[in-house]
């Protein structure tokens, strides 16, 4: 691409597309569907064990893409060994390639129907894919083989409780519970959510009986959060309601023009990594009339400071509605919040009604943003860029990707009725190298190829798609002949991926600059600490580790 590229001094410059996060799974059909074992020489068996040892080293050092590569090479040498498939399933899970992981675990089970760890791996994949009943079936199989495995028994019981909870919540929804925004406003009007007089933290300004937010409050709030303290529930509600007032005014596709002298920074997933977000904002700068911020979804879950992250973003939206923009990600949804920690964190820190308020306001977040240049492109970009009829570049920024069918227009996206809707995960899209559309490596959604991207960009006069949703080891990846860029802004994702974070800076001519950054230290709190509604020390599954 002709776009300029920059990075922090500790990071290599990326002027071309970086490699995928991991190598694709080999064709299972050619390796494993025959009931008869493939004949493997002793030499190949010995070489496969050496490759597995290299893979194990990479896994232990959290270099999961390299681990996946070496497990794949071991499988190619000896596809009859179930441990290779099971270990690669564990690696795929770390890479969030749950569809691939599920296939690998299933193959390990076919090769050894009594392989306990393979059933456990498959159960964890089913949980990630929200297939709780299938997870319970695999947990039961583990317990039939290891009746004294109390850890797995506890996981099975917890999953069964979760199934009952989901069914109960669905029943309540059909009864027509009051809109959480209206209910919170009622509680406030009734005096049921006043700030405790003993509260000594940052205070919102008040005018004519109404609160208003200031830059000074936000700075004090950040310091308060860094001290490990929480805001009063009333302030939390005021911030969320203040942002909600702005979101409901926006269409499902928001138009953002970049005037001369203004820059816009596009930020990918941050996943509750509050201290990395603070570092990120120190690099981008905060929102202002000369600097727009666009957060491309998945602000919450996984990281254990999701409340702090979302309140900071919403506070800026309330204060600077025309300079701060937030797209919805797949983790701004009830099913994901239940599984990955935000529901538990919100309830633990601010109570049940606060979580209900967040869950509803998440449905008001726009689905995509069209970032448009206001000056003609410069340099060689003029020759190859897809421009509007006026000769300008514009970028379609969306969390997941494109669509399951061709011909979708910007106007159709703009008119989507989103408020109050829980999206589910089936509609998510992922870029792939192959043309056309196909199943995604995550086991949900659909993958789209470079031809799909080119047709859609030509149809809608869009110079490129900017999406997030997937870890990239270098923080970003340019794909589809420059028309699709993934940006991911949670460095060292869940404290173990070792990836860089990145953001994309766009100027008034539509020129992009890619800036990478590393993770910073944070207090000793493990990722997903609030799953099941209470803090916990670790979500490690080392009791069923690699072989």
């Amino acid at each position: 691409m002709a776009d300029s590229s920059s990075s922090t001094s500790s990071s290599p410059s990326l002027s071309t597309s970086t490699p995928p996060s991991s190598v694709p799974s080999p064709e299972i059909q050619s390796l494993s569907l025959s009931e008869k074992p493939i004949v493997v020489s002793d030499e190949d068996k010995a070489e496969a064990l050496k490759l597995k040892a290299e893979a194990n080293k990479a896994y232990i050092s959290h270099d999961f893409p390299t681990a996946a590569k070496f497990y794949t090479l071991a499988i190619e040498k000896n596809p009859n060994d179930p441990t290779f498939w099971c270990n690669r399933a564990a690696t795929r899970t770390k890479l969030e390639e749950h569809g691939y992981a599920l296939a690998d675990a299933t193959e390990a089970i076919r090769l050894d129907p009594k392989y306990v760890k393979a059933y456990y791996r498959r159960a964890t994949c089913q949980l990630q894919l929200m297939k709780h009943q299938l997870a319970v079936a695999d947990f039961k199989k583990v317990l039939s083989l290891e009746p004294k495995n109390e850890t797995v028994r506890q996981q099975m019981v917890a999953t069964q409780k979760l199934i009952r909870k989901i069914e109960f919540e669905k029943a309540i929804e059909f009864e027509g519970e009051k809109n959480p925004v209206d209910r919170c406003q009622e509680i406030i009007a009734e005096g049921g959510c006043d700030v405790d007089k003993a509260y000594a933290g940052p205070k919102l300004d008040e005018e004519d009986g109404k609160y208003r937010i200031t830059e000074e409050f936000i700075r004090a709030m950040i310091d308060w959060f860094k001290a490990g303290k929480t805001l009063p529930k009333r302030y939390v509600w005021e911030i969320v309601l203040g942002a909600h007032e702005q979101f409901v005014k926006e269409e499902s596709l928001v138009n953002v023009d970049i005037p001369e002298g203004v820059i816009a920074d596009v930020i990918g997933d941050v996943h509750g990594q509050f201290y990395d977000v603070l570092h990120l904002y120190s690099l981008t700068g905060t929102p202002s009339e000369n600097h727009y911020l666009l957060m491309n979804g998945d602000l919450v879950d996984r990281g254990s400071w999701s409340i702090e992250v979302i309140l900071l973003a919403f506070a800026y939206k309330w204060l600077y509605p025309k300079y701060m923009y937030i797209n919805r990600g797949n983790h701004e949804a009830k099913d994901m919040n239940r599984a990955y920690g935000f529901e538990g964190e919100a309830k633990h820190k601010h109570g049940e009604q606060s979580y209900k308020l967040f869950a509803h306001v998440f449905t008001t977040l726009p689905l995509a943003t069209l970032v448009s240049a206001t000056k003609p492109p410069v340099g060689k970009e003029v020759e190859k860029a897809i421009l509007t009829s006026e000769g300008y570049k514009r970028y379609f920024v969306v969390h997941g990707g494109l669509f399951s069918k061709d011909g979708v227009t910007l106007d159709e996206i703009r008119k989507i009725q989103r408020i109050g809707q829980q999206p589910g995960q089936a509609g998510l899209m992922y870029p792939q190298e192959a043309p056309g559309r196909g199943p995604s490596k995550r086991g949900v959604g659909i993958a789209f190829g470079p031809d799909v991207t080119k047709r859609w960009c030509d149809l809608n006069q869009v110079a490129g798609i900017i999406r997030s949703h997937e870890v990239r080891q270098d923080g970003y990846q340019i794909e589809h002949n420059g028309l699709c860029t993934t940006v991911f802004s949670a460095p060292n994702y869940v404290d173990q991926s070792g990836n860089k974070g990145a953001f994309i800076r766009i100027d008034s001519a539509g020129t992009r600059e890619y800036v990478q950054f590393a993770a910073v230290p944070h207090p000793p709190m493990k990722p997903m600490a609030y799953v099941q509604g209470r803090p916990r020390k670790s979500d490690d599954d080392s009791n069923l580790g690699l072989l």
Side-chain angles (χ1 to χ4, degrees):
M1 291 186 70
D3 292 333
S4 63
S5 176
S6 72
S7 65
T8 59
S9 58
S10 61
S11 306
S13 177
L14 296 180
S15 58
T16 58
S17 179
T18 58
S21 62
S22 61
V23 294
S25 292
E27 289 294 331
I28 293 177
Q29 291 87 343
S30 66
L31 292 176
S32 62
L33 290 186
S34 171
E35 292 298 324
K36 296 180 180 180
I38 296 170
V39 177
V40 179
S41 68
D42 290 341
E43 182 181 351
D44 281 347
K45 288 180 181 178
E47 181 62 26
L49 289 173
K50 291 179 182 178
L51 291 165
K52 184 188 82 166
E54 290 299 315
N56 286 356
K57 289 179 184 178
Y59 185 98
I60 291 168
S61 63
H62 293 173
D63 184 358
F64 302 119
T66 298
K69 180 183 74 174
F70 277 112
Y71 286 133
T72 298
L73 292 172
I75 288 168
E76 290 172 353
K77 289 290 184 181
N78 181 11
N80 298 333
D81 191 325
T83 63
F84 301 164
W85 294 91
C86 189
N87 286 4
R88 194 174 69 173
T91 308
R92 297 295 193 199
T93 300
K94 294 294 187 182
L95 290 166
E96 298 192 341
E97 297 174 353
H98 306 304
Y100 286 172
L102 190 67
D104 284 350
T106 299
E107 177 60 10
I109 291 167
R110 190 193 72 79
L111 291 167
D112 182 357
K114 293 185 178 181
Y115 193 1
V116 170
K117 291 183 181 178
Y119 286 106
Y120 180 81
R121 295 296 176 208
R122 193 167 70 176
T124 60
C125 290
Q126 304 289 18
L127 287 176
Q128 300 290 340
L129 297 171
M130 309 295 174
K131 297 178 180 179
H132 302 106
Q133 296 283 9
L134 294 177
V136 168
D138 279 331
F139 285 141
K140 286 182 177 179
K141 185 64 178 179
V142 172
L143 291 172
S144 72
L145 296 168
E146 289 188 357
K148 296 182 179 180
N149 193 323
E150 289 304 314
T151 299
V152 172
R153 189 177 305 279
Q154 290 172 10
Q155 289 177 289
M156 182 186 72
V157 171
T159 305
Q160 290 171 325
K161 288 180 179 178
L162 178 61
I163 291 169
R164 292 193 292 271
K165 177 183 177 183
I166 293 170
E167 291 173 349
F168 177 73
E169 289 176 351
K170 286 181 179 178
I172 290 177
E173 285 180 3
F174 283 119
E175 294 175 5
E177 188 176 13
K178 182 171 287 189
N179 182 310
V181 170
D182 295 338
R183 181 59 187 140
C184 286
Q185 289 173 335
E186 282 181 0
I187 294 171
I188 290 171
E190 293 165 358
C193 193
D194 291 341
V195 178
D196 192 314
K197 292 180 180 179
Y199 170 66
K203 291 182 169 59
L204 288 169
D205 287 356
E206 197 170 358
E207 289 182 358
D208 300 326
K210 291 187 176 181
Y211 285 112
R212 69 179 187 89
I213 195 165
T214 62
E215 185 75 50
E216 292 72 23
F217 173 85
I218 294 177
R219 287 196 293 267
M221 180 181 72
I222 291 171
D223 290 338
W224 191 250
F225 287 160
K226 288 166 68 177
K229 300 176 181 179
T230 58
L231 291 179
K233 186 185 298 184
R234 175 63 179 274
Y235 283 5
V236 171
W237 290 9
E238 292 291 343
I239 291 170
V240 178
L241 292 170
H244 168 265
E245 186 178 352
Q246 304 304 324
F247 292 135
V248 295
K249 297 175 184 176
E250 296 175 331
E251 296 179 303
S252 290
L253 174 63
V254 176
N255 292 321
V256 176
D257 295 335
I258 308 177
E260 187 171 3
V262 173
I263 55 172
D265 290 330
V266 181
I267 295 170
D269 303 36
V270 295
H271 279 297
Q273 296 184 196
F274 178 64
Y275 293 87
D276 291 315
V277 168
L278 295 182
H279 177 52
L280 170 60
Y281 284 176
S282 76
L283 299 174
T284 62
T286 55
S288 71
E289 60 183 348
N290 296 319
H291 176 233
Y292 303 163
L293 279 182
L294 168 54
M295 303 193 75
N296 195 27
D298 280 13
L299 283 74
V300 301
D301 281 338
R302 299 284 194 183
S304 295
W305 292 274
S306 291
I307 281 289
E308 289 77 6
V309 168
I310 197 67
L311 286 176
L312 181 56
F314 279 7
Y316 278 129
K317 184 64 181 179
W318 184 16
L319 181 60
Y320 300 123
K322 296 302 180 183
Y323 310 144
M324 181 70 173
Y325 299 91
I326 305 173
N327 286 341
R328 186 177 189 177
N330 65 302
H331 276 266
E332 279 76 48
K334 284 184 178 179
D335 57 351
M336 302 299 276
N337 295 161
R338 182 187 299 116
Y340 293 102
F342 181 70
E343 177 182 338
E345 182 181 348
K347 290 179 178 179
H348 177 81
K349 292 178 178 178
H350 298 294
E352 175 88 20
Q353 189 60 39
S354 297
Y355 171 67
K356 291 179 179 180
L357 179 62
F358 277 113
H360 177 76
V361 173
F362 285 164
T363 73
T364 69
L365 296 178
L367 305 179
T369 302
L370 190 66
V371 178
S372 300
T374 57
K375 292 173 57 182
V378 296
K380 295 181 181 179
E381 294 184 21
V382 178
E383 302 172 3
K384 66 176 185 177
I386 300 172
L387 305 178
T388 66
S389 55
E390 293 82 14
Y392 301 135
K393 295 176 73 174
R394 58 184 183 178
Y395 300 99
F396 180 69
V397 185
V398 66
H399 182 72
L402 290 180
F403 313 95
S404 58
K405 64 178 182 179
D406 287 343
V408 177
T409 67
L410 297 175
D411 280 341
E412 289 177 295
I413 301 166
R414 194 172 284 114
K415 295 174 183 176
I416 292 173
Q417 299 298 309
R418 70 189 189 277
I419 296 177
Q421 302 298 313
Q422 292 294 325
Q425 306 301 314
L428 288 169
M429 301 292 285
Y430 306 79
Q432 63 179 15
E433 295 180 7
R437 294 178 174 87
S440 84
K441 59 190 175 185
R442 287 205 178 185
V444 292
I446 302 172
F448 61 97
D451 56 329
V452 174
T453 301
K454 180 67 163 61
R455 287 195 299 271
W456 190 85
C457 288
D458 283 335
L459 173 67
N460 289 286
Q461 296 184 339
V462 167
I465 297 157
I466 298 174
R467 44 92 62 181
S468 301
H469 187 53
E470 294 180 279
V471 181
R472 292 296 185 258
Q473 288 304 114
D474 293 302
Y476 75 99
Q477 180 180 346
I478 303 168
E479 304 171 81
H480 294 185
N481 302 311
L483 291 179
C484 181
T485 302
T486 298
V487 60
F488 193 83
S489 304
N492 194 29
Y493 180 46
V494 293
D495 287 351
Q496 65 180 17
S497 295
N499 60 291
K500 295 180 178 69
F503 64 91
I504 303 175
R505 176 157 289 180
I506 306 173
D507 66 14
S508 59
T511 303
R512 288 177 290 182
E513 178 185 5
Y514 304 88
V515 183
Q516 298 168 296
F517 61 98
V520 297
H522 62 72
M525 176 75 80
K526 294 287 186 180
M528 293 174 59
Y530 295 93
V531 171
Q532 304 298 330
R534 62 184 184 276
R536 59 178 184 167
K537 292 184 178 180
S538 174
D539 61 344
D540 184 31
D541 61 358
S542 56
N543 62 304
L544 288 169
L546 299 176
L547 289 179

